[in-house]
Structures are given as C-alpha cells and as structure tokens.
Amino acid sequence: MNNSFLWGGATASYQCEGAWNEDDKVDSMWDAYLHEKGLENGDVASDFYHRYKEDIRMMKEGGQNSFRFSLSWPRIILDKEGTVNPKGLQFYHDLIDECLRQGIEPFVTIYHWDLPQYLEAEGGWQNRATCDAFMHYARVVMKEFDGKITYWTTFNEPRWFIFNGYFIGNYPPECHSAQMTVKGAWHVLLAHAMAVQAFREEGIQGKIGIVHSYTPVDGVDDRPETLKAMRYADNYCNNWVLDTAAKGEIPQDMLDKLSAEGIDLSFMNEADLQIIRNNHVDFLGLNYYSRTLVKPYTEGETTLIVNNTGKKGKGTSKTIVKNWFEQVQDPDSEYTEWDTEIYPKGLYDGLIRAWERYHLPIFITENGIGCYEDVSVDCVQDDWRISYMNDHINAIMNAMDDGGDVRGYFAWSSFDLYSWKNGCEKRYGLVAVDFENGLCRRPKKSYYWFKDVIESKGERVERRKL
Ligand code: BG6
C-alpha cells in the first residue's frame, strides 16, 4: 500500500454524537421515532459530541490517517425555510480542525439517515421538496468547509435506509409499500445528483462520491434462469445506485420490470432525469459486509426480513422478491449472530466487478463485524475481529494486485456506537465504549493489530489467494 492509502475508522452522527438536543439542534426522524416508540436511542450514544478530541487522539495514536464521519442535518439546518445554525457549523469546524491538527484526513458523509423531522413531517423522501432542501443543506456545508475537506460523499447507503424505511418497515417511517420504496429511491438519487451539481457549480475543492451498501451477487449455478435472477438481483441490490451515480444511467430493464409489475413511475420527469444523467461522481465508496447468493424465484409474495434479534437463525434474514429472485444461505459459510454471512471472497469479486464496470477509484468506506463483547475487561481480546479484518484487507490487496484501484479502507467502526435497531449491544468498534460505566474508552486488541497493519503498509496482513 502506498503512503496516500487512507486507513481509518468510520462513524455516523446519530450513532455516536449523542447531545441530541444541544446547541439548538432540532429533532431528526430517528429522535422522533425512537422517542415515540420508547426504544433504545442515540440520545447519548458514545457522547462523541463532547469527547471527539479524545477519540481523534486515539485514532492518531492508533496510526490511522483518516476518519469517516457524517454531518447531522438537523444540527445545521433548523427549519423548512433553511435557517442555518451557527453552533452546528461551529461543532463541525472544531471537529474538522482537530482532525487536521492530528494529521487525520476528514472523509465526510453529508447524509447518514438523520433526516430532520420537520421534513419527515412533510413526507420526507416521498416529497420532491426534500431534494431541494437537501441541495440547500449540501450547498451550505460544502461552501462552509470548502478547502478543509478533500473527500465528500452525498449519501450513505441509499438502498439500506430506503428499503428498511419504506418496505421492510424496521426503520422510520415504518412503511410497507413497493410504490413508496421506488419513489423514495428516485428522490434520493435525484437529491444526490443535485448535490453533485451544486458541488460543481460552486467550484468546491476536492472530490465527490456516494457510499453504497455493496452486496455483490452470486448465483447458485449457471443455468440461464439463474443468470437472469442474478441480473434482477444485481439491479435490485447494486445497479440502481451505482450505475446511476457513476454513469447517470438508471437500469432500463429494471424500470421496464417495475412498470410491468404496476409501479407508477410517472414522477420521473425529464428535467430531473437530465440532472441525474449529467452529474456523476468522482469516486465510489463501498461498504462491504456480505454478498447476496441467489436462485431463481419460485413462489410466495415479496418478503424482506432483516434479523435485528441478535439470535442466529431467529427472525432469519430473508429476501424474496416476487418474480425477480430469492436469496439463499450457503450451508458451508459462517454467519454472525445477526445472520450476516462472513464471506471475504465476495469483497474481492465485488471489487474486480466494480472496477471493470465503472473504472472509478474505490474506497472501502465500511467493513467490520458486529459482536456481543464483554467490555468490562482492560482490553477486549477480539481475535474474531482481527481475523475478519485480516481476511477482508487481504481480499482488497488481492483485488489491487489484480488491477483494482482501491484508495482506502475504513473499519466500521472507530469505536463502539449505537447500532440502530440492534442497540449498543452489537459492537463493531476498534475501541470499546463502556456504555454502563461513564462511557470510558479502552482500545481492543484489534485496535493494536490495525495499528501494526497500517505501520507495515499492509505487510502485516496474512495473505492468501481467494
Ligand atoms: C451500515 C451503516 O449499514 O452498516 C451503518 O452505514 C451501520 O450505519 C452498519 O451501523 C452496521 O449495521 P448494523 O445494522 O449492524 O448497525
């Protein structure tokens, strides 16, 4: 790995900041939803808002040279009229300046799911006006922090928050509608392109990209019907985000299939399509946790279930998209307690495919394993995380050897944080946060291992051909 390779951890504002109502911040849709339901929430989370200096110091001491984090829209824009909160901007100036002081490259996500509740109340991502509001917010932050940031990304994982919010219903606004899913997806793609347009119009320094929840698709065999199911699955999982952001092309066979199945696409007007066609990204951020293994569709209604129980095989993750494909589990693979397949080869395959298809620089913007861990000890001996990271970094290095242009790796997550509907019990951090005891921080074994890997420029990774 060369010296400019970015090594770091990633977080998201709602998952780590806490300070949910401080310094004039207004409610996000997650604040409103979790408070109303009385569920575990991110009111305090890792208290990063007050402890960011300590956290950034630990990144620096851990040898990391970059940090991926998101800006909180409801901290920065206070109402529908677009009023800017100077205290919100100041917090991010302080955070970014601290990163720069410590030699940590800030890698910024503009939107990681915390939509202001005042916009959700007006229809959220169902409403075209949210795209204009996003463009305004993106323009404000890009101009404000211009010159301090080299890497901007618009959205974190459009697929994940749109499907979970509008179809699966485990995220706010808890809907179960294919029509709303497609319309929400369209508005997010449009808002993304509008922000890229604003970036170019304003002549902002640096590069702009998007972050996708990348799940490369494999088939159970190579029969023609399986290949067809794989194409449907790839459109569903990846292409609608990546083809659109990288090339300005929404897959036509996907749109035809959606229309044939009765989805009304009349909201896709020509003027907005032009914005999408003309505004492409400079790089791709890919979050990799697992692949999608598929077989042809056999029977049953569309069923999408995510395992938020933390009990393997209970409330099993399931994806059947009627007339498109069915996802299957590989009996030979290992799975986490949340039913996520551990499959590093998928990262290698996916990187090669993404490179061949888009020829854009790639950052692995998230990769990690969620586990139950006892953090009352001095140093969590998380050998499972070391093995997981080793095998995935090895996959990246193999892909680079075979021509892929990968520019950075961000572990999810820099430190333990709030894992949405899985709560704080599902830990991903390189640094343990003791949520029960004063939120004190203690590096895990993986933190030191990662430091060695970075200092050795990857030499410390145990290599194997996949
Ligand atoms: C990604 C998100 O989907 O995966 C993160 O960008 C998220 O916000 C991470 O926390 C892990 O998922 P989960 O559901 O286990 O927290």
Side-chain angles (χ1 to χ4, degrees):
M1 305 286 192
N2 62 32
N3 284 335
S4 60
F5 194 86
L6 298 185
W7 294 101
T11 62
S13 47
Y14 185 75
Q15 296 182 266
C16 71
E17 285 179 3
W20 71 281
N21 59 358
E22 279 184 47
D23 291 337
D24 301 334
K25 174 182 168 290
V26 296
D27 278 7
S28 71
M29 74 193 293
W30 278 90
D31 292 311
Y33 165 77
L34 294 170
H35 287 161
E36 191 194 314
K37 297 233 143 202
L39 294 172
E40 186 180 344
N41 58 48
D43 285 4
V44 178
S46 324
D47 198 29
F48 178 73
Y49 194 76
H50 301 112
R51 299 175 195 232
Y52 67 91
K53 286 192 179 162
E54 179 185 358
D55 291 324
I56 293 167
R57 178 177 53 72
M58 289 172 97
M59 292 170 200
K60 169 78 180 166
E61 288 171 3
Q64 300 166 32
N65 62 7
S66 189
F67 172 40
R68 174 173 176 247
F69 58 90
S70 75
L71 309 175
S72 161
W73 187 350
R75 237 183 241 299
I76 294 174
I77 308 288
L78 298 178
D79 51 33
K80 275 190 298 185
E81 288 66 46
T83 309
V84 174
N85 177 15
K87 293 182 194 163
L89 291 178
Q90 191 55 50
F91 169 67
Y92 292 108
H93 270 298
D94 294 345
L95 167 59
I96 292 166
D97 291 348
E98 186 62 21
C99 287
L100 296 174
R101 238 192 314 276
Q102 298 280 8
I104 303 273
E105 177 82 55
F107 195 103
V108 172
T109 312
I110 299 175
Y111 181 82
H112 199 128
W113 309 352
D114 43 0
L115 186 73
Q117 177 60 23
Y118 59 78
L119 292 175
E120 181 54 34
E122 305 274 310
W125 291 111
Q126 296 302 303
N127 186 348
R128 170 70 173 71
T130 300
C131 304
D132 294 318
F134 181 74
M135 192 186 195
H136 166 68
Y137 159 55
R139 205 185 283 275
V140 166
V141 295
M142 291 187 301
K143 286 170 78 171
E144 183 72 25
F145 305 120
D146 188 22
K148 293 183 177 184
I149 306 296
T150 304
Y151 300 102
W152 292 94
T153 60
T154 54
F155 281 85
N156 179 72
E157 299 193 347
R159 177 176 67 92
W160 196 251
F161 78 85
I162 287 293
F163 285 13
N164 283 0
Y166 289 121
F167 202 100
I168 301 172
N170 59 332
Y171 283 7
E174 282 197 344
C175 300
H176 304 278
S177 155
Q179 180 67 45
M180 290 174 86
T181 303
V182 176
K183 192 171 187 184
W186 160 254
H187 282 142
V188 169
L189 293 176
L190 175 60
H192 156 79
M194 288 165 74
V196 174
Q197 186 181 29
F199 181 87
R200 311 270 183 235
E201 279 170 5
E202 300 291 346
I204 304 294
Q205 293 176 42
K207 305 278 180 207
I208 190 155
I210 192 167
V211 172
H212 173 55
S213 43
Y214 191 34
T215 169
V217 173
D218 288 342
V220 288
D221 54 42
D222 54 8
R223 290 177 300 150
E225 53 271 42
T226 306
L227 297 181
K228 202 162 167 197
M230 286 169 67
R231 169 68 190 178
Y232 289 148
D234 212 9
N235 279 343
Y236 167 94
C237 292
N238 303 310
N239 301 339
W240 69 268
V241 178
L242 293 179
D243 284 11
T244 308
K247 305 196 285 190
E249 293 167 8
I250 306 176
Q252 190 56 48
D253 58 340
M254 182 187 75
L255 295 177
D256 293 345
K257 193 154 176 61
L258 288 169
S259 286
E261 289 178 0
I263 301 289
D264 173 10
L265 299 177
S266 57
F267 47 79
M268 292 175 56
N269 65 71
E270 190 49 38
D272 287 344
L273 269 169
Q274 274 305 332
I275 300 175
I276 288 178
R277 286 191 196 111
N278 294 336
N279 291 285
H280 309 168
V281 292
D282 301 316
F283 67 87
L284 296 173
L286 301 178
N287 294 350
Y288 180 80
Y289 291 91
S290 197
R291 65 163 169 174
T292 297
L293 180 63
V294 303
K295 67 174 187 179
Y297 169 77
T298 51
E299 59 178 355
E301 291 305 309
T302 295
T303 311
L304 309 179
I305 302 172
V306 171
N307 183 350
N308 292 130
T309 66
K311 295 189 185 81
K312 208 184 290 199
K314 299 272 169 56
T316 312
S317 305
K318 197 177 208 164
T319 302
I320 300 173
V321 181
K322 188 176 180 182
N323 297 326
W324 292 42
F325 69 95
E326 290 180 27
Q327 182 174 5
V328 293
Q329 289 203 334
D330 182 341
D332 296 329
S333 279
E334 223 191 303
Y335 289 80
T336 71
E337 294 301 311
W338 285 262
D339 286 332
T340 303
E341 185 185 11
I342 300 175
Y343 192 69
K345 183 170 183 301
L347 179 53
Y348 170 82
D349 294 337
L351 280 172
I352 297 294
R353 289 174 205 163
W355 170 246
E356 286 174 351
R357 199 175 169 104
Y358 305 113
H359 279 277
L360 285 172
I362 296 170
F363 294 85
I364 296 303
T365 33
E366 285 179 32
N367 174 242
I369 183 165
C371 309
Y372 293 109
E373 284 166 338
D374 173 9
V375 298
S376 62
V377 297
D378 284 344
C379 179
V380 177
Q381 301 295 301
D382 54 344
D383 293 296
W384 45 87
R385 184 163 293 106
I386 292 173
S387 147
Y388 180 97
M389 288 174 70
N390 184 89
D391 293 351
H392 286 80
I393 297 173
N394 171 61
I396 294 169
M397 293 171 85
N398 286 355
M400 291 171 78
D401 289 345
D402 292 345
D405 182 7
V406 186
R407 307 269 178 102
Y409 174 87
F410 294 88
W412 183 268
S413 46
S414 308
F415 45 82
D416 289 337
L417 36 69
Y418 169 76
S419 180
W420 307 108
K421 292 299 278 292
N422 308 304
C424 290
E425 283 281 86
K426 187 178 186 183
R427 294 172 182 275
Y428 283 91
L430 298 170
V431 174
V433 175
D434 194 342
F435 297 107
E436 315 274 285
N437 290 298
L439 295 155
C440 70
R441 273 84 163 134
R442 286 184 215 99
K444 301 180 191 174
K445 187 175 173 186
S446 57
Y447 166 96
Y448 297 106
W449 173 87
F450 194 41
K451 182 177 184 188
D452 279 357
V453 166
I454 299 168
E455 284 173 358
S456 72
K457 298 196 173 71
E459 290 296 309
R460 170 82 161 74
V461 172
E462 277 175 34
R463 301 296 305 275
R464 95 179 55 96
K465 201 90 197 137
L466 291 169

XYZ file of all heavy atoms in Angstrom, residues 11-12 15 68 112-113 156-157 160 164 171 211 213 287 289 306-308 338 340 366 368 370 412 417-423 426 428, ligand 1:
313
model
N -17.836 6.339 11.309
C -18.956 6.508 12.248
C -20.079 7.251 11.513
O -19.908 7.641 10.363
C -18.565 7.371 13.469
O -18.196 8.678 13.007
C -17.429 6.775 14.276
N -21.180 7.478 12.225
C -22.270 8.307 11.692
C -22.792 9.173 12.828
O -22.818 8.736 13.982
C -23.390 7.419 11.164
N -25.361 7.858 15.360
C -24.907 6.664 16.072
C -23.861 6.946 17.150
O -23.636 6.105 18.012
C -24.351 5.643 15.074
C -25.404 5.136 14.118
C -24.861 4.086 13.177
O -24.448 4.402 12.072
N -24.835 2.839 13.603
N -13.793 8.716 8.811
C -15.039 8.947 8.075
C -16.156 9.218 9.087
O -16.392 8.406 9.984
C -15.372 7.726 7.212
C -16.714 7.843 6.544
C -17.024 6.733 5.539
N -18.376 6.955 5.068
C -19.413 6.158 5.310
N -19.251 5.023 5.961
N -20.618 6.483 4.879
N -26.283 10.664 6.615
C -26.280 9.285 7.100
C -27.573 9.080 7.897
O -27.548 8.874 9.115
C -25.030 9.009 7.934
C -24.704 7.552 8.106
N -23.464 7.019 7.819
C -25.453 6.506 8.542
C -23.464 5.717 8.092
N -24.666 5.379 8.540
N -28.689 9.265 7.223
C -30.017 8.814 7.653
C -30.761 9.708 8.645
O -31.927 9.428 8.949
C -29.969 7.399 8.223
C -29.276 6.394 7.355
C -28.825 6.563 6.079
C -28.963 5.042 7.691
N -28.241 5.415 5.602
C -28.305 4.463 6.574
C -29.164 4.268 8.827
C -27.868 3.128 6.573
C -28.716 2.957 8.816
C -28.082 2.392 7.705
N -25.064 8.100 2.533
C -24.654 6.778 2.982
C -25.781 5.783 2.680
O -26.903 5.950 3.165
C -24.393 6.755 4.487
C -23.994 5.361 4.963
O -22.884 4.912 4.673
N -24.891 4.658 5.645
N -25.466 4.802 1.859
C -26.321 3.628 1.649
C -27.782 3.925 1.329
O -28.680 3.551 2.098
C -26.259 2.713 2.875
C -24.884 2.175 3.188
C -24.910 1.037 4.197
O -25.958 0.819 4.841
O -23.890 0.350 4.332
N -30.092 0.820 1.704
C -30.400 0.281 3.032
C -31.480 1.110 3.726
O -32.463 0.584 4.253
C -29.108 0.210 3.863
C -29.230 -0.663 5.064
C -29.277 -0.256 6.360
C -29.336 -2.095 5.086
N -29.400 -1.347 7.198
C -29.436 -2.484 6.432
C -29.360 -3.080 4.092
C -29.561 -3.826 6.821
C -29.482 -4.411 4.481
C -29.577 -4.760 5.826
N -35.311 -0.305 4.151
C -35.714 -0.546 5.545
C -36.865 0.366 5.963
O -37.743 -0.043 6.720
C -34.522 -0.354 6.487
C -33.569 -1.533 6.457
O -33.779 -2.499 5.747
N -32.518 -1.471 7.224
N -37.203 0.469 10.037
C -36.672 1.827 10.244
C -37.817 2.824 10.029
O -38.774 2.517 9.294
C -35.591 2.146 9.198
C -34.218 1.536 9.418
C -33.956 0.606 10.413
C -33.162 1.896 8.592
C -32.689 0.070 10.589
C -31.891 1.359 8.749
C -31.658 0.441 9.745
O -30.397 -0.087 9.907
N -21.769 6.692 -1.114
C -21.433 5.454 -0.397
C -22.586 4.465 -0.564
O -23.743 4.779 -0.264
C -21.170 5.719 1.096
C -21.027 4.405 1.857
C -19.904 6.565 1.265
N -24.175 0.436 -0.003
C -24.127 -0.834 0.739
C -23.966 -1.939 -0.301
O -24.940 -2.481 -0.806
C -25.416 -1.033 1.530
O -26.538 -0.672 0.742
N -19.445 0.091 1.039
C -19.491 -0.571 2.349
C -19.691 -2.046 2.090
O -20.643 -2.425 1.398
C -20.679 -0.054 3.175
C -20.528 1.409 3.562
O -19.466 2.002 3.386
N -21.586 1.979 4.104
N -20.221 -5.765 3.801
C -20.422 -6.684 4.922
C -20.610 -8.109 4.402
O -20.138 -9.050 5.000
C -21.637 -6.261 5.762
C -21.369 -4.967 6.508
C -21.691 -3.738 5.946
C -20.738 -4.975 7.744
C -21.407 -2.546 6.608
C -20.444 -3.792 8.415
C -20.780 -2.584 7.842
O -20.482 -1.413 8.496
N -35.006 -8.394 7.966
C -33.645 -8.208 8.470
C -33.629 -8.726 9.899
O -34.554 -8.455 10.675
C -33.262 -6.709 8.464
C -31.942 -6.485 9.182
C -33.167 -6.191 7.035
N -32.607 -9.485 10.245
C -32.528 -10.014 11.611
C -31.969 -8.946 12.554
O -30.771 -8.683 12.561
C -31.642 -11.272 11.639
C -31.590 -11.892 13.023
O -32.050 -11.302 13.999
N -31.037 -13.094 13.107
N -32.845 -8.332 13.332
C -32.401 -7.385 14.361
C -32.455 -8.030 15.752
O -32.380 -7.342 16.767
C -33.273 -6.114 14.377
C -33.110 -5.237 13.148
O -34.091 -4.837 12.524
N -31.889 -4.939 12.775
N -26.249 -12.135 13.888
C -27.318 -11.386 13.205
C -27.539 -11.915 11.786
O -28.052 -11.214 10.921
C -26.986 -9.891 13.193
C -27.190 -9.235 14.538
C -28.283 -8.532 14.935
C -26.291 -9.232 15.650
N -28.122 -8.093 16.224
C -26.912 -8.506 16.694
C -25.026 -9.771 15.889
C -26.306 -8.297 17.944
C -24.436 -9.572 17.130
C -25.068 -8.842 18.129
N -25.460 -12.492 9.334
C -24.690 -11.932 8.215
C -23.611 -12.935 7.825
O -22.826 -13.364 8.671
C -24.016 -10.604 8.628
O -25.040 -9.710 9.074
C -23.263 -9.977 7.472
N -16.804 1.157 4.642
C -17.156 0.426 5.872
C -16.859 -1.046 5.668
O -17.136 -1.597 4.597
C -18.650 0.535 6.226
C -19.067 1.849 6.787
C -20.568 1.903 7.107
O -21.158 0.862 7.475
O -21.130 2.997 6.962
N -16.687 -4.468 8.702
C -16.484 -4.820 10.102
C -17.463 -5.890 10.540
O -18.339 -6.310 9.784
N -20.099 -7.183 13.698
C -20.840 -6.840 14.911
C -20.913 -8.052 15.840
O -21.279 -9.143 15.408
N -15.528 -0.291 10.154
C -16.730 0.087 10.906
C -16.662 -0.697 12.193
O -16.667 -1.927 12.134
C -18.011 -0.255 10.142
C -19.217 0.205 10.913
C -19.954 -0.516 11.808
C -19.803 1.510 10.869
N -20.956 0.255 12.330
C -20.894 1.500 11.778
C -19.505 2.690 10.176
C -21.686 2.633 12.001
C -20.297 3.788 10.385
C -21.379 3.756 11.294
N -20.549 2.079 19.112
C -21.600 3.093 18.994
C -22.973 2.429 18.942
O -23.084 1.213 19.087
C -21.334 4.004 17.785
C -20.712 3.400 16.515
C -21.698 2.488 15.845
C -20.240 4.489 15.576
N -23.961 3.238 18.727
C -25.355 2.767 18.709
C -25.660 2.165 17.328
O -25.528 2.856 16.322
C -26.267 3.953 19.027
C -27.720 3.684 18.780
C -28.468 2.906 19.660
C -28.357 4.200 17.658
C -29.800 2.649 19.426
C -29.688 3.949 17.418
C -30.407 3.178 18.300
O -31.724 2.915 18.057
N -26.077 0.906 17.330
C -26.237 0.172 16.072
C -27.706 0.135 15.629
O -28.263 -0.934 15.390
C -25.665 -1.238 16.248
O -25.774 -1.990 15.100
N -28.334 1.294 15.529
C -29.726 1.413 15.082
C -30.623 0.446 15.848
O -30.537 0.382 17.074
C -29.823 1.211 13.563
C -28.900 2.110 12.789
C -27.770 1.742 12.126
C -28.981 3.546 12.625
N -27.159 2.841 11.546
C -27.881 3.951 11.829
C -29.875 4.524 13.049
C -27.656 5.282 11.472
C -29.655 5.849 12.689
C -28.564 6.204 11.912
N -31.416 -0.365 15.149
C -32.391 -1.203 15.844
C -31.733 -2.339 16.633
O -32.400 -3.073 17.361
C -33.427 -1.762 14.849
C -34.337 -0.705 14.255
C -35.187 0.040 15.277
C -36.430 -0.717 15.681
N -37.419 -0.835 14.620
N -30.421 -2.505 16.480
C -29.735 -3.531 17.277
C -29.228 -2.979 18.604
O -28.654 -3.718 19.402
C -28.543 -4.088 16.493
C -28.932 -4.535 15.102
O -29.833 -5.359 14.949
N -28.287 -4.004 14.090
N -29.384 -1.685 18.824
C -28.937 -1.077 20.075
C -27.421 -1.033 20.205
O -26.682 -1.259 19.245
N -24.692 -4.523 20.050
C -23.994 -5.039 18.872
C -22.801 -4.129 18.634
O -22.945 -2.992 18.190
C -24.929 -5.037 17.660
C -24.350 -5.714 16.431
C -25.343 -5.710 15.277
C -24.835 -6.506 14.100
N -25.768 -6.433 12.955
N -19.107 -2.978 17.164
C -18.246 -3.046 15.979
C -16.897 -2.371 16.211
O -16.021 -2.428 15.359
C -18.896 -2.295 14.817
C -20.023 -2.996 14.098
C -21.344 -2.832 14.498
C -19.780 -3.788 12.981
C -22.384 -3.433 13.807
C -20.815 -4.390 12.284
C -22.110 -4.207 12.696
O -23.138 -4.805 12.009
C -24.163 0.162 7.542
C -24.435 1.548 8.033
O -25.350 -0.313 7.002
O -23.843 -0.822 8.446
C -24.143 1.795 9.493
O -23.847 2.513 7.219
C -24.488 0.561 10.289
O -24.826 2.934 9.898
C -23.596 -0.567 9.814
O -24.413 0.721 11.662
C -23.797 -1.874 10.537
O -25.124 -2.244 10.518
P -25.914 -2.548 11.868
O -27.344 -2.611 11.481
O -25.370 -3.833 12.341
O -25.599 -1.399 12.781
